Amino acid sequence: MKGDPNRVAVVGESAGGGLACAVSMMARDKKVALPKYQVLVYPIAGYDQNTPSYQASAAGFLPLDKAGMGWFFKNYLRTPADGKDPRINLVAANLKGLPATTIIGADYDPLKSEGKTLADNLGKAGVKVNYQLYDGTTHEFFGMAAVVPQAKAAQTVATDDLKAALK
């Protein structure tokens, strides 16, 4: 393969968004080549299920709600203490030195608050951030461009930002 190591980005949606950011943190900490850019689509960025968006989703916003996230955490983490690991609890992590980032947020999503907090904290750490919240959307909207106009707009933002970062 003739890939260019100077043109690598990480992109992830939901749990994958949190994992993408964790990969960037691990690269930084191990002092290996850092991705040039990261796109985090409604990332799982915290373990606190008492945020405003978790409270708003307690009644059951489909396709994801507070109870669903509780199930995921219960089955993903070995113990609740693992939720404090900075690779899970990104909103409390050291974010200095991470690559420029686009964060896509969904309006009716238990992850909305932590996505915005992550964007704010990245900015405070000196990371260039493009945060976009799409009104009227739910978790998983990003892949529905054929039927959800906001998904097409979000995909355009993500691809435009990636193209600009990798040229």
Side-chain angles (χ1 to χ4, degrees):
M1 296 223 175
K2 294 183 180 180
D4 183 349
N6 294 314
R7 295 181 67 211
V8 173
V10 291
V11 180
E13 181 177 6
S14 192
L19 291 169
C21 190
V23 164
S24 293
M25 289 169 45
M26 290 167 54
R28 177 205 59 205
D29 294 347
K30 291 181 185 277
K31 299 185 183 349
V32 298
L34 201 63
K36 292 293 180 192
Y37 205 82
Q38 56 184 7
V39 176
L40 314 176
V41 180
Y42 30 77
I44 296 176
Y47 183 62
D48 180 4
Q49 292 187 276
N50 294 307
T51 65
S53 59
Y54 267 102
Q55 295 305 315
S57 70
F61 284 117
L62 295 178
L64 185 65
D65 61 11
K66 182 177 180 177
M69 281 303 301
W71 184 90
F72 285 124
F73 281 133
K74 179 182 164 216
N75 287 284
Y76 178 67
L77 303 175
R78 293 170 297 180
T79 69
D82 287 344
K84 295 180 181 177
D85 184 305
R87 295 168 295 178
I88 302 292
N89 195 23
L90 302 172
V91 297
N94 171 13
L95 303 171
K96 285 189 181 247
L98 293 186
T101 304
T102 295
I103 297 180
I104 304 290
D107 194 13
Y108 299 105
D109 186 351
L111 307 178
K112 175 181 169 182
S113 297
E114 64 196 65
K116 176 64 169 122
T117 300
L118 179 60
D120 292 345
N121 290 351
L122 283 162
K124 289 174 190 171
V127 176
K128 181 181 173 193
V129 180
N130 180 9
Y131 174 78
Q132 299 290 320
L133 177 67
Y134 290 87
D135 292 337
T137 60
T138 64
H139 193 84
E140 295 297 333
F141 85 95
F142 188 76
M144 300 180 185
V147 293
V148 178
Q150 298 96 319
K152 186 172 177 117
Q155 289 176 5
T156 298
V157 166
T159 56
D160 287 352
D161 288 355
L162 281 168
K163 286 177 186 176
L166 299 176
K167 67 176 178 176

